Amino acid sequence: MGIKEFIKRRSLRAKDDKRTRAAELTLRESLYPICLVTVLFFLWGFSYGLLDTLNKHFQNTLDITKSRSSGLQAAYFGAYPLASLGHANWILRHYGYRATFIWGLCLYGIGALIAWPCILARSFAGFCMAIFVIGNGLGSLETAANPYITVCGPPRYAEIRINISQAFNGIGTVVAPVLGSYVFFAFDDQTALRNVQWVYLAIAIFVFILAFVFFISAIPEITDADMAFQATETHANADDKPFWKQYRLFHAAFAQFCYTGAQIAIASYFINYVRDTQPLADDAMASRLLAGAQGGFAAGRFFGSFIMRYVRPRWVFLVFLTMCIIFIAPSITQRGWTGMSMLYVTLFFESICFPTIVALGMRGLGRHTKRGSGWIVAGVMGGAAVPPLTGVAADKHQTALAMVVPLCFFVAAITYAVCVNFVPAYRDPADAFSTTEVGLTGHHGGVDEEVGEVGVLGDEKAVKSEIEV
């Protein structure tokens, strides 16, 4: 096969009005693409964990306040809606998942390279700009990766799939604080800043290599017609409604905003919380304690995925989010090891909430899946809004008392968990996907096995024109 033929086969444009076999991938067929995309989950978990560590590091080296250091989170998560509702969502809808993965990785690599001179100049504002570019890259990856994992394989196991993949995201958040405790806090300020430069250079090299791997890999594209087929087969025909009447989706996006904001606020100020409540703990020890808490977060995702094999995911979601509210409340008034232990337990129960909101929120969207995923991922913008509020409260009072801010947002997020369990319009589409045999009983006829696609489906001839509406 010549170079021209190879490049032609690696075309990044997918036709959304064509149904492919990707709608009915079996567990074995979906294994390779899921493993490859799961690498991305580790990647942005590492980046997010690194950000929490740098938050405290820059407070020390650049002598800035807690509220100002939250500019890192504001730049990082503030970029998400620009990606998920803007450029990344446009690429996803007009080209496909693989093109969006490559785009996101390239932006991530460019942002990491921009960080180098900003760190050299000790410019916090410049580094925030680099983080904004990185946030656009990671927002692009999340816009594509979360729905891809959800729909790649049998729909019955969507919540389990995305929670397992997100568990590797949790592992990334463990590795970063451990790295920070030995690379950032164990040296003088000048050496630590130089180490930060090398870390971001290594990240840039790795993500550019990974972008090339995605270019040469033949992973299945999942089209809007595929999603419409799944919605029809499961009788969860919510996609019959216009996009702007997908009220369940917008409630899920609201819950994602509130939940993510609370999660990021807790992790961002965990080191400050330990320093305020444990006077004998230094920054290196606090960073290692954060790594331990993130380890509990990752373990919670594996545990939650196991429980979902036997209990409906919507019930697991409700219980876990309720536990977050119950255990963060004592951390506001308690001090020492007791308060920190409450945060440890809170992070454990946070574990499955984000990916489960993604999976449940996308149930039954059909041909609206790609567009809808952008709205749910845009909810991550809560990570740009809630940490600054928490930082202001921490500056005026103590970090422990500031935990009342994420508590309020957890309470707002649980409204979706209640609806998805007790309101039939929310509950029925979720349960329809939990019992379907799509992807478990073989492929339906009518798909060209050689090219992997068919023409526009008989009941989906209007899809192509409606997608652009």
Side-chain angles (χ1 to χ4, degrees), residues 347-369:
L347 262 72
F348 176 85
F349 284 111
E350 283 178 356
S351 55
I352 61 99
C353 295
F354 177 91
T356 308
I357 291 173
V358 172
L360 292 174
M362 289 174 55
R363 289 300 202 195
L365 289 181
R367 66 180 184 274
H368 303 307
T369 296

Side-chain angles (χ1 to χ4, degrees), residues 384-463:
V386 182
L389 295 175
T390 309
V392 170
D395 282 334
K396 291 186 176 181
H397 307 284
Q398 289 187 328
T399 308
L401 186 58
M403 289 299 155
V404 73
V405 177
L407 170 61
C408 292
F409 281 88
F410 275 144
V411 172
I414 205 170
T415 59
Y416 178 71
V418 171
C419 287
V420 84
N421 278 282
F422 299 107
V423 177
Y426 286 68
R427 184 185 62 221
D428 294 346
D431 288 351
F433 273 77
S434 297
T435 57
T436 181
E437 295 296 315
V438 173
L440 299 175
T441 58
H443 298 283
H444 284 64
V447 178
D448 188 326
E449 297 290 338
E450 187 167 335
V451 299
E453 61 182 34
V454 293
V456 181
L457 297 181
D459 60 348
E460 295 164 3
K461 290 182 179 180
V463 167

